[in-house]
Amino acid sequence: MSKTTIYDVAEAAEVGIGTVSRVLNNSEKVSDETRNKVLKVIKELNYYPNGMARGLALQRTNAIGVMVPSFIDHFFVEVLRGVQAGLNQFDLDLVLFKVDKEEKDKHINRVLQGRKVDGVLAITLDLTKEEVNKFKELDLPLVLVDDYQQDVNSIFVDDIAGVKKAISYLIELGHQRIAFFDGPLESNHGKQRLEGVKIAFAEAGLEFDEQLLQEGDFTVESGYQSMKKILDVEERPTAIFAASDDQAVGALEAIKEEGLSVPDGFALIGYDNIELARYLDLTTVSQPMFKMGELGIETLAKLIYSKQDDLIKKKIEPKLVIRNSC
Amino acid sequence: MSKTTIYDVAEAAEVGIGTVSRVLNNSEKVSDETRNKVLKVIKELNYYPNGMARGLALQRTNAIGVMVPSFIDHFFVEVLRGVQAGLNQFDLDLVLFKVDKEEKDKHINRVLQGRKVDGVLAITLDLTKEEVNKFKELDLPLVLVDDYQQDVNSIFVDDIAGVKKAISYLIELGHQRIAFFDGPLESNHGKQRLEGVKIAFAEAGLEFDEQLLQEGDFTVESGYQSMKKILDVEERPTAIFAASDDQAVGALEAIKEEGLSVPDGFALIGYDNIELARYLDLTTVSQPMFKMGELGIETLAKLIYSKQDDLIKKKIEPKLVIRNSC
DNA sequence: CTGTTAGCGCATTCAT
DNA sequence: ATGAATGCGCTAACAG
């Protein structure tokens, strides 16, 4: 029972393997009679075609790769769920590749050259132009999710719009001194979000005090440290805007340690709308993560299986979810 | 540049493809001179072997499959992280298969027969004997994670011990009427945990009031509904033990709606120790999810690549994490 | 030590 | 409509 091949089926059905292959691939050129005969044998023998062999012959794997940073958090889980939901419409396998920042090149090469997938979804990977080019050279379809690049298919959220919504809201509430806990300034998100902050201030006729900018890395610990520093500033801000909910959570801890609370001591806004935010009653910028995953694979599938080659870009609008932290 | 094959390398290096294959597979039987020559060409041409072809020839894919329920929650994410961590030691790809309860058979067959993986990790899948047998018939190594079966490799947590710890703790605190919100009674966990509850009561010389048993499905909504029902019972319990943290969260909501709180209105204990539990200050039974994932792939790798065929079973002890919800 | 050849399982011409 | 032959890219056994 260990391995039924197309030859076994052909023999049992008393036809050639070509015919079996045809019914397998729904070719029209088979008489109903033989088709049924073959189908019956296939069922009896519980036969399924070997994926590797089919891949080799077809030059197609029927699988898509999803590259994610080694750091798996709520964000990716949501995106992954979206990917899976989208995957249901197609008959594709999902290969998960973890990409360490330290060994980015090695990991990318592996995905690229192993040729085990027909296309790749790169989630929040901050790929460089050079890295993206490798995909082009090898003609492997690529879609960036939560990342953006000039001439690459991208599904991304309008960072600047999201940030502006948050800052504007705080300003409306009367806040003028607002601290901003950003992610790494060399990351796309870090840059974009800082720019958004500046724009929002400018549009309100105010100026952002760079003293109140803290560079961090989206983690709880980072938010905690940033808040500690802000508490030491001579003229404290009245509001905190964190570039991730995790950072907001960290900030909250530091605020509590100081004997203060939210929103009385500080107004606080996060980013991402992770599940925890609801329980903490944290106002935050919501990113449609599930949707991004879904759109991502839909886009990729289109690229791969309908040979579309025009650039596909989808910008998604984030929403401000207002709760009681400011 | 689109496709460099072993033939291109052989030609450029002026050797036969056999030789190239040998250096690729670190065969000792190649002179240093030719080896270096080939290696140089490989680098120049940026050549990587085609995974499909290699898989076909070797009857080995260098990938492992992870089957997960369609319902992806915190629990699974932690396990997956463990899997990835463990995967790092080996050079394996990870193929993720979602298994719908409704189409279990179809999905399992696909994994089984597609033959795109060398072995499978089945996480929290409540596989039947029959399903497990399919793997045996096809000689595809299988490791159950968070699931148990007589003669299958399994990494599992001692459910009964975990439940006993929770119930005993409540009894110590003086509670006698304890409601239990279980998962589906036809699931392994559902059965085990209920049994644990009964044992714990028996050992304390008490009897479990079946009226206080609520069957649910591990979700927040389920916990909410169960709590609603319990609030209608004539003689209310003083404590609630939920079979998942999510259920505990749902119960908490219902308790709050009733104008009561925890631990004053009810003592509350959850199960899983998800991240949220910490923030809710919820006492809960901790399952080492990350560890389970790590152990799972370690076990699987051993089965596949060192041809061990003795049954491997690992029982992990859960811990009671005491916080302030009771 | 190295080149050549025969599969691995399937899709796809090319004949018929 | 169908069977036989060829190739997908690679490994391994076989000669030399």
Side-chain angles (χ1 to χ4, degrees), chain B residues 36-50:
Chain B
N36 286 132
K37 192 169 56 179
V38 171
L39 246 24
K40 191 172 151 233
V41 172
I42 286 181
K43 196 143 289 171
E44 278 173 10
L45 266 49
N46 194 28
Y47 165 79
Y48 278 73
N50 176 313

Side-chain angles (χ1 to χ4, degrees), chain B residues 15-16 19 22 30-31 34 56-57:
Chain B
V15 299
T19 303
R22 274 171 215 119
V30 183
S31 77
T34 50
L56 230 206

Side-chain angles (χ1 to χ4, degrees), chain B residues 65-85:
Chain B
V66 175
M67 305 198 321
V68 301
S70 47
F71 175 63
I72 299 189
D73 65 1
H74 300 94
F75 181 90
F76 163 68
V77 174
E78 275 303 310
V79 176
L80 192 58
R81 290 178 62 179
V83 169
Q84 280 208 339

Side-chain angles (χ1 to χ4, degrees), chain A residues 6 21 47 49-50 54 58:
Chain A
I6 199 169
S21 179
Y47 166 77
N50 176 313
R54 173 176 268 185
L58 232 36

